[in-house]
Amino acid sequence: MAENPFFAPSALPYALPNFGEIREEHYLPAFERGMADQLREVEAIAGDPAPATFANTIEALERSGQILKRTATAFFSIASSDATDGIRKIETEISPRLTKHGDAIHLNRALYRRIKQVTTETPEEAWLLEKYRVDFVRAGADLSESEQERLKGLNEELTRIATAFPQNLLTASTASALVVQDVKELDGLSASTVKAIEKDGTYTLPLLNFTNQPALAELTDRRTRRRLYELSVNRAPENFDLAVKLATLRAERAALLGYPNHAAYSVADQTAKTTEAVEEMLGKLVGPAMANARREAELLSEEAGFPIEAWDWSFYAEKVRKARYDFDSSELRPYFELDRVLRDGVFHAAGELYGITFTDRDDLAGYHPDVRVFEVFNADGSALGLFLFDPYARPTKRGGAWMNNLVDQSHLFGDLPVVMNNLNITKPAEGPTLLTFDEVNTAFHEFGHALHGLFSDVRFPRVSGTEVPRDFVEYPSQVNEMWATWPSVLANFAKHHETGEPVPAELLEKMRAAEKFNQGFATVEYLAAALLDWAWHKLAAGETVENAETFETAALERAGIAFDLVRSRYRTNYFAHIFSGGLGSYSAGYYSYIWSEVLDAESVEWFKENGGLLRGNGDHFRSTLLSVGGSKDALEAFRDFRGRDPRIEPLLERRGLA
Ligand SMILES: [Zn+2]
């Protein structure tokens, strides 16, 4: 095991993990040595006879656990993007042990005493010290010995269940897939899709991670649509019980830590701060959104000639879009070729705004042949970091799209960032990869997160890049979506993959007009998920749930968002955002997307008021907001950028809820 690549820093440029050398059998020994090393380092900090200082306590903690960090960063990236059976076994084994390890540090009384004795000299130090203090209190540092024992038990059990939940989903995406023998039942799907899902005369359409499967917009056979929809909403039924267990254990943990419920615990260190603030915000949106969705439903039933059901919605929405707006979204696909979208769209917009440039680094490898590596440079030619791009869906990849860091930027270590984006685009059997407009938008969104990581310019890893409150982190990525439809950007990337012809102006006009349509659906689908998450995490300790599905229905009724035709974007059984990912998930945090969108809508307005896609605007956004990461108060950074507190009006306007 002398060659374990995690034992020494990677020698590759930017300390990119050496995926070519990393084998599955390296992970466990590296985790074990990493945890042991860090515990020794922490013991030394806690037992230091010298008086506690910022340098010998907080900074020393920031420096600790290097092997563990390298190992965990690479491992969890793989566990999301390419989770083979071997990786999943390791994840199941290591996750509870990592939780135990975290508890061993946070519940170390001597260490906590020293943290409380530290004094600071700069605002940056004071901010970081306070973060550490809050982390320790929220992890149970102030509890009695016996309470801490109970907490450790809860944490371990929570981690175990939250690891099983997404693993069940990964299995269900194919286990509950729509399987068809007679290709006629798939009428409406494109020839390339049909070809890509065919094997030995059987057609298998895997489930994507949300309720409303995209194929529902295309399948002409109503029975097939219904089957697909029901497979989607009923997948992984064993997860209902896991959800109940997670929610009740979280309630118990919150009570132990002095909070009335997990939601209160969860928002206390967010920008929202209180459950009331979240409820006030969501409450403002429910009524108008439901009214919009009901109006849309009437229109769709009129178009169908019968009262539509949930599995008909997308199909008739697409028809109305064609009839009313003369717009067929599939007409756009030939203009959205993946490589062009990335280089001439996503990279181009970032180049215009921030002056950055990208170079292919085909000499550097990811963990899978489909992963591409780019080196990113500032306008002055100085190195900024690496960007890895993993666009395609595969059976070993979890659903959705996300950004993660492989190396955190920090001046403490002199590290430049290595960040990556994952998408879930179906790889065509042959020929170019053509995207839907949603997928284009997602590519811009995820790159917004990537920029937040790449532009990080802070001293300490703990506050690097996207290490900001969860109800703030979606904001920069949402802002970056605006450039997907910015005329000069769109003109630059939306070219026909065969002819190179630009996308016809009238098609774009129609797309813009049609974009406003179906907003009721989108908002209700989202709000239902946010309010479902909220209901699960408002449980008080000791409250029991007999039946998860009954609970779900009642919760949505109570919140005024129950609507048979538009169900939650995620039902309880596949709500991975809130029931997976150990302790760092989006539990009681799904509201964050619309919370962040308030800031997003404000910022889009600012860019437009100031001339849009201009280098000066980009530089202002970068210096005030993107580069500071979590090194200062998030709303203060927003005020530095916008020059005022956020207002909700631009969001209401945008969503048609004003
Ligand atoms: Zn995001």
Side-chain angles (χ1 to χ4, degrees):
M1 272 303 162
E3 284 83 43
N4 193 314
F6 291 113
F7 289 175
S10 161
L12 293 179
Y14 301 86
L16 174 72
N18 197 336
F19 291 111
E21 282 186 1
I22 297 169
R23 305 273 170 270
E24 269 176 24
E25 62 266 27
H26 292 134
Y27 286 114
L28 271 181
F31 271 122
E32 277 163 0
R33 173 147 163 210
M35 289 192 282
D37 278 9
Q38 191 176 28
L39 283 186
R40 251 197 318 277
E41 289 162 337
V42 165
E43 279 310 324
I45 297 167
D48 191 339
T53 63
F54 186 85
N56 73 18
T57 308
I58 302 299
E59 197 172 305
L61 283 170
E62 286 286 284
R63 291 182 190 277
S64 73
Q66 286 308 301
I67 291 181
L68 179 58
K69 186 160 185 185
R70 278 198 293 274
T71 310
T73 311
F75 178 78
F76 286 105
S77 187
I78 302 279
S80 294
S81 305
D82 198 12
T84 57
D85 288 344
I87 292 288
R88 291 163 75 174
K89 269 218 330 257
I90 297 169
E91 189 184 18
T92 303
E93 169 163 2
I94 205 66
S95 292
R97 291 171 69 185
L98 289 172
T99 301
K100 228 174 170 166
H101 175 72
D103 282 345
I105 294 171
H106 287 121
L107 303 179
N108 180 322
R109 289 180 182 273
L111 179 63
Y112 183 48
R113 254 196 315 279
R114 280 183 77 81
I115 290 174
K116 288 196 286 190
Q117 289 161 1
V118 167
T119 54
T120 57
E121 278 165 21
T122 66
E124 192 186 18
E125 287 182 2
W127 177 255
L128 185 64
L129 172 63
E130 177 59 9
K131 278 218 162 308
Y132 266 86
R133 197 192 62 77
V134 170
D135 283 352
F136 273 70
V137 171
R138 289 174 60 78
D142 280 332
L143 299 183
S144 74
E145 209 102 357
S146 64
E147 288 169 330
Q148 288 188 347
E149 283 312 307
R150 177 71 196 126
L151 183 67
K152 285 182 199 167
L154 285 171
N155 284 346
E156 253 182 273
E157 208 177 342
L158 280 164
T159 304
R160 198 175 44 73
I161 304 171
T163 306
F165 191 97
Q167 292 195 349
N168 288 339
L169 282 184
L170 198 55
T171 311
S173 73
T174 43
S176 295
L178 175 76
V179 180
V180 166
Q181 306 293 343
D182 183 355
V183 70
K184 283 206 281 296
E185 292 172 31
L186 296 177
D187 182 55
L189 294 189
S190 72
S192 67
T193 305
V194 170
K195 187 163 182 202
I197 65 171
E198 190 264 349
K199 204 186 166 206
D200 306 329
T202 300
Y203 304 84
T204 308
L205 189 65
L207 291 181
L208 299 187
N209 67 321
F210 35 79
T211 296
N212 211 44
Q213 302 299 302
L216 291 172
E218 297 165 345
L219 290 163
T220 60
D221 186 335
R222 208 173 170 219
R223 282 163 312 181
T224 309
R225 288 205 300 269
R226 180 176 186 160
R227 262 179 66 206
L228 176 59
Y229 186 85
E230 286 176 348
L231 284 164
S232 175
V233 298
N234 295 315
R235 76 184 88 168
E238 64 277 23
N239 273 354
F240 280 117
D241 284 344
L242 298 190
V244 172
K245 282 199 191 115
L246 284 169
T248 48
L249 290 172
R250 282 172 182 162
E252 196 183 325
R253 189 179 54 169
L256 199 53
L257 292 165
Y259 294 87
N261 49 57
H262 180 73
Y265 168 77
S266 181
V267 298
D269 68 343
Q270 301 295 303
T271 70
K273 292 195 168 60
T274 67
T275 54
E276 289 77 14
V278 174
E279 284 158 19
E280 193 198 322
M281 162 81 182
L282 295 177
K284 270 185 200 157
L285 305 173
V286 166
M290 282 291 273
N292 273 4
R294 285 189 200 288
R295 266 197 303 278
E296 288 169 8
E298 271 170 40
L299 196 71
L300 299 184
S301 289
E302 225 168 85
E303 171 71 28
F306 57 86
I308 59 157
E309 302 276 1
W311 45 88
D312 301 317
W313 187 293
S314 296
F315 186 75
Y316 289 101
E318 204 49 38
K319 282 200 158 204
V320 169
R321 216 177 252 128
K322 276 178 205 163
R324 276 214 163 179
Y325 303 95
D326 189 24
F327 174 68
D328 176 353
S329 61
S330 67
E331 281 175 46
L332 277 172
R333 277 181 91 137
Y335 298 93
F336 297 152
E337 190 272 314
L338 175 63
D339 205 51
R340 270 208 170 119
V341 169
L342 183 68
R343 291 168 195 273
D344 300 340
V346 173
F347 290 174
H348 166 75
E352 296 290 300
L353 283 164
Y354 310 107
I356 58 176
T357 56
F358 300 81
T359 309
D360 288 78
R361 289 295 303 258
D362 296 334
D363 56 316
L364 298 174
Y367 45 81
H368 188 279
D370 285 341
V371 179
R372 303 174 205 175
V373 183
F374 300 90
E375 188 170 8
V376 193
F377 299 93
N378 284 304
D380 64 4
S382 60
L384 186 57
L386 286 184
F387 172 65
L388 279 72
F389 186 60
D390 183 359
Y392 293 119
R394 62 180 75 94
T396 51
K397 195 191 259 196
R398 72 169 161 94
W402 64 93
M403 168 269 194
N404 60 284
N405 281 15
L406 291 171
V407 177
D408 289 334
Q409 178 277 333
S410 83
H411 296 308
L412 187 68
F413 293 114
D415 285 340
L416 289 170
V418 177
V419 307
M420 73 173 303
N421 279 173
N422 268 275
L423 307 179
N424 255 293
I425 295 163
T426 306
K427 194 174 181 175
E430 57 195 25
T433 304
L434 302 177
L435 308 191
T436 64
F437 178 69
D438 271 356
E439 288 167 338
V440 171
N441 202 55
T442 302
F444 277 85
H445 175 99
E446 295 308 330
F447 197 72
H449 289 303
L451 289 171
H452 206 179
L454 285 168
F455 287 150
S456 179
D457 187 13
V458 302
R459 181 161 164 72
F460 300 108
R462 170 69 181 83
V463 293
S464 181
T466 51
E467 288 293 323
V468 295
R470 194 183 45 194
D471 62 6
F472 190 79
V473 75
E474 290 304 326
Y475 151 52
S477 53
Q478 289 169 344
V479 170
N480 205 54
E481 290 175 30
M482 76 180 283
W483 309 116
T485 51
W486 195 258
S488 67
V489 177
L490 197 60
N492 201 57
F493 76 82
K495 292 179 182 158
H496 197 281
H497 71 100
E498 279 167 339
T499 64
E501 291 286 310
V503 58
E506 68 270 18
L507 191 57
L508 286 181
E509 261 326 298
K510 288 178 193 168
M511 182 187 88
R512 287 206 185 88
E515 256 190 349
K516 298 210 168 63
F517 173 66
N518 221 29
Q519 277 299 305
F521 177 91
T523 310
V524 167
E525 182 193 52
Y526 166 77
L527 286 174
L531 288 158
L532 179 61
D533 166 32
W534 202 246
W536 277 115
H537 295 112
K538 288 275 293 209
L539 285 180
E543 230 177 301
T544 53
V545 174
E546 289 295 321
N547 180 306
E549 293 192 71
T550 318
F551 176 88
E552 177 179 302
T553 310
L556 296 174
E557 291 279 353
R558 224 176 21 251
I561 198 88
F563 190 19
D564 283 348
L565 298 186
V566 185
R567 298 185 75 166
S568 172
R569 184 168 167 80
Y570 307 96
R571 289 192 69 209
T572 300
N573 43 328
Y574 47 95
F575 208 158
H577 283 80
I578 68 168
F579 292 125
S580 72
L583 306 173
S585 75
Y586 263 68
S587 57
Y590 200 67
Y591 77 88
S592 301
Y593 289 91
I594 205 126
W595 190 269
S596 299
E597 206 181 321
V598 173
L599 306 179
D600 160 32
E602 275 274 27
S603 304
V604 168
E605 201 180 74
W606 180 89
F607 271 104
K608 287 182 176 165
E609 282 167 11
N610 289 280
L613 189 78
L614 298 174
R615 185 63 203 284
N617 290 344
D619 286 347
H620 177 63
F621 193 45
R622 174 178 177 172
S623 66
T624 52
L625 205 126
L626 295 174
S627 68
V628 303
S631 67
K632 68 198 293 190
D633 179 72
L635 288 178
E636 194 184 317
F638 174 81
R639 280 189 292 270
D640 292 345
F641 163 66
R642 186 65 176 100
R644 65 162 193 241
D645 278 319
R647 297 171 314 141
I648 195 174
E649 285 73 17
L651 169 79
L652 296 179
E653 193 71 34
R654 170 199 288 192
R655 289 241 170 193
L657 304 172

Short mmCIF file of all heavy atoms in Angstrom, two decimals, residues 34 36-46 60-61 63-66:
data_model
loop_
_atom_site.label_atom_id
_atom_site.label_comp_id
_atom_site.label_asym_id
_atom_site.label_seq_id
_atom_site.Cartn_x
_atom_site.Cartn_y
_atom_site.Cartn_z
N GLY A 34 -6.37 8.66 6.90
CA GLY A 34 -6.77 10.07 6.96
C GLY A 34 -7.46 10.42 8.26
O GLY A 34 -7.18 11.45 8.87
N ALA A 36 -7.26 8.70 11.14
CA ALA A 36 -6.32 8.53 12.26
C ALA A 36 -5.37 9.73 12.35
O ALA A 36 -5.15 10.28 13.43
CB ALA A 36 -5.53 7.23 12.08
N ASP A 37 -4.85 10.15 11.20
CA ASP A 37 -3.95 11.31 11.18
C ASP A 37 -4.64 12.54 11.74
O ASP A 37 -4.09 13.28 12.54
CB ASP A 37 -3.51 11.63 9.74
CG ASP A 37 -2.35 10.75 9.29
OD1 ASP A 37 -2.03 9.80 10.03
OD2 ASP A 37 -1.81 11.02 8.20
N GLN A 38 -5.89 12.76 11.28
CA GLN A 38 -6.57 13.98 11.71
C GLN A 38 -6.87 13.94 13.21
O GLN A 38 -6.74 14.95 13.90
CB GLN A 38 -7.85 14.24 10.92
CG GLN A 38 -8.38 15.65 11.20
CD GLN A 38 -9.60 16.03 10.39
OE1 GLN A 38 -10.39 15.18 9.99
NE2 GLN A 38 -9.75 17.32 10.12
N LEU A 39 -7.24 12.78 13.71
CA LEU A 39 -7.50 12.69 15.15
C LEU A 39 -6.23 13.00 15.95
O LEU A 39 -6.28 13.68 16.97
CB LEU A 39 -8.04 11.30 15.52
CG LEU A 39 -9.52 11.06 15.19
CD1 LEU A 39 -9.97 9.72 15.72
CD2 LEU A 39 -10.41 12.18 15.75
N ARG A 40 -5.10 12.50 15.47
CA ARG A 40 -3.82 12.82 16.13
C ARG A 40 -3.56 14.32 16.09
O ARG A 40 -3.18 14.93 17.08
CB ARG A 40 -2.68 12.07 15.45
CG ARG A 40 -2.10 10.93 16.30
CD ARG A 40 -0.72 10.48 15.80
NE ARG A 40 -0.63 10.38 14.35
CZ ARG A 40 -1.04 9.30 13.64
NH1 ARG A 40 -1.57 8.26 14.27
NH2 ARG A 40 -0.92 9.28 12.34
N GLU A 41 -3.79 14.92 14.94
CA GLU A 41 -3.56 16.37 14.81
C GLU A 41 -4.48 17.15 15.75
O GLU A 41 -4.07 18.12 16.39
CB GLU A 41 -3.82 16.81 13.35
CG GLU A 41 -2.75 16.33 12.37
CD GLU A 41 -3.20 16.36 10.90
OE1 GLU A 41 -4.43 16.32 10.62
OE2 GLU A 41 -2.34 16.39 10.03
N VAL A 42 -5.73 16.72 15.81
CA VAL A 42 -6.70 17.42 16.66
C VAL A 42 -6.32 17.26 18.14
O VAL A 42 -6.41 18.20 18.92
CB VAL A 42 -8.13 16.89 16.38
CG1 VAL A 42 -9.09 17.31 17.46
CG2 VAL A 42 -8.61 17.39 15.02
N GLU A 43 -5.88 16.05 18.52
CA GLU A 43 -5.43 15.84 19.91
C GLU A 43 -4.29 16.79 20.25
O GLU A 43 -4.23 17.34 21.35
CB GLU A 43 -4.98 14.38 20.10
CG GLU A 43 -6.11 13.39 20.33
CD GLU A 43 -7.08 13.83 21.43
OE1 GLU A 43 -6.65 14.44 22.43
OE2 GLU A 43 -8.30 13.58 21.26
N ALA A 44 -3.37 16.95 19.30
CA ALA A 44 -2.23 17.84 19.53
C ALA A 44 -2.70 19.29 19.71
O ALA A 44 -2.18 20.02 20.56
CB ALA A 44 -1.23 17.73 18.38
N ILE A 45 -3.68 19.70 18.92
CA ILE A 45 -4.21 21.07 19.04
C ILE A 45 -4.89 21.23 20.39
O ILE A 45 -4.68 22.21 21.12
CB ILE A 45 -5.20 21.37 17.89
CG1 ILE A 45 -4.49 21.33 16.53
CG2 ILE A 45 -5.86 22.74 18.09
CD1 ILE A 45 -5.42 21.30 15.32
N ALA A 46 -5.73 20.25 20.74
CA ALA A 46 -6.49 20.33 21.99
C ALA A 46 -5.58 20.28 23.21
O ALA A 46 -5.86 20.91 24.23
CB ALA A 46 -7.51 19.20 22.05
N ALA A 60 -4.76 25.93 12.72
CA ALA A 60 -4.25 24.56 12.81
C ALA A 60 -5.35 23.56 12.42
O ALA A 60 -5.07 22.55 11.76
CB ALA A 60 -3.74 24.28 14.22
N LEU A 61 -6.59 23.84 12.81
CA LEU A 61 -7.69 22.95 12.41
C LEU A 61 -7.89 23.00 10.90
O LEU A 61 -8.16 21.98 10.26
CB LEU A 61 -8.98 23.35 13.12
CG LEU A 61 -9.10 22.92 14.59
CD1 LEU A 61 -10.31 23.59 15.25
CD2 LEU A 61 -9.18 21.41 14.74
N ARG A 63 -5.68 23.38 8.78
CA ARG A 63 -4.58 22.62 8.15
C ARG A 63 -4.70 21.12 8.37
O ARG A 63 -4.02 20.34 7.70
CB ARG A 63 -3.23 23.09 8.70
CG ARG A 63 -2.82 24.48 8.29
CD ARG A 63 -1.43 24.80 8.87
NE ARG A 63 -1.09 26.19 8.70
CZ ARG A 63 -0.56 26.71 7.58
NH1 ARG A 63 -0.31 25.90 6.57
NH2 ARG A 63 -0.29 27.99 7.49
N SER A 64 -5.54 20.72 9.30
CA SER A 64 -5.57 19.29 9.67
C SER A 64 -6.34 18.46 8.64
O SER A 64 -7.13 18.99 7.86
CB SER A 64 -6.22 19.13 11.05
OG SER A 64 -7.61 19.35 10.96
N GLY A 65 -6.06 17.16 8.65
CA GLY A 65 -6.87 16.22 7.87
C GLY A 65 -6.68 16.27 6.37
O GLY A 65 -7.62 16.06 5.61
N GLN A 66 -5.46 16.53 5.91
CA GLN A 66 -5.24 16.66 4.46
C GLN A 66 -5.48 15.36 3.70
O GLN A 66 -6.09 15.37 2.63
CB GLN A 66 -3.82 17.18 4.19
CG GLN A 66 -3.66 18.65 4.51
CD GLN A 66 -4.72 19.51 3.84
OE1 GLN A 66 -4.85 19.53 2.62
NE2 GLN A 66 -5.54 20.19 4.63
#
